Amino acid sequence: MKKGTKISRESFASWTEVSIRYSDLDPNGHVNNGAINQYFEDGRVKFREDLMGGLGREILTGFAIAHFEVSYYSALNYPGSVEVGTVVTRIGETSFGLGQAIFVGSREIAGAHVVSVYFDPATGKKKHLPEELRSVLKKALLF
């Protein structure tokens, strides 16, 4: 998938709803980009719990974000909530790509491209994605 490509709302494999907090606002009264990035993290955590939780708690500890790229499309205001969609865009040998988007209704607020690397927490070295994890990721693959 080409970076910056928008993903249709219907294509996301996992969804989470996040409440906009007053503390998320910047001095202009808009939701700060740091808060929006936190919403993306909330979406990734929900994605991992929903899709990978059945593989055991230890499978959830061996991931690191190697790349995180965001495009902001529209201002976001308080009060309200957003929906965060997450889908697998690529499965590699030691990493996988995620596409994410934040919506208010049908309006896309921001989109993100994420690369997550699988590693051994004891050594800090990347390792091959286990077949059981690859199988779970394939179920959420965009294409």
Side-chain angles (χ1 to χ4, degrees):
M1 178 178 165
K2 189 175 181 181
K3 289 181 187 175
T5 302
K6 286 189 176 184
I7 300 169
S8 69
R9 185 176 170 82
E10 299 77 30
S11 298
F12 291 97
S14 174
W15 288 94
T16 191
E17 186 172 355
V18 181
S19 293
I20 300 169
R21 300 171 301 261
Y22 182 78
S23 61
D24 293 342
L25 301 181
D26 64 18
N28 297 315
H30 299 122
V31 174
N32 181 280
N33 66 317
I36 290 173
N37 294 346
Q38 179 64 54
Y39 303 162
F40 282 122
E41 182 178 31
D42 292 345
R44 289 190 304 276
V45 169
K46 178 81 161 77
F47 174 85
R48 285 175 43 186
E49 288 173 351
D50 287 352
L51 275 72
M52 300 176 202
L55 300 177
R57 290 295 304 163
E58 64 280 350
I59 197 88
L60 299 177
T61 61
F63 294 98
I65 301 297
H67 181 85
F68 180 73
E69 181 179 319
V70 181
S71 296
Y72 303 97
Y73 306 122
S74 181
L76 187 57
N77 299 298
Y78 174 87
S81 62
V82 296
E83 293 177 289
V84 183
T86 305
V87 67
V88 176
T89 57
R90 179 191 62 80
I91 303 170
E93 293 299 317
T94 61
S95 66
F96 59 94
L98 295 174
Q100 294 188 280
I102 294 174
F103 290 90
V104 172
S106 61
R107 181 172 57 111
E108 187 173 353
I109 303 301
H113 172 74
V114 183
V115 175
S116 187
V117 175
Y118 189 59
F119 72 98
D120 182 340
T123 65
K125 295 184 179 187
K126 64 183 178 180
K127 61 182 184 177
H128 287 279
L129 296 171
E131 192 53 45
E132 61 185 352
L133 177 56
R134 295 175 70 77
S135 177
V136 168
L137 292 171
K138 286 177 185 174
K139 293 177 185 174
L141 189 59
L142 180 60
F143 302 113

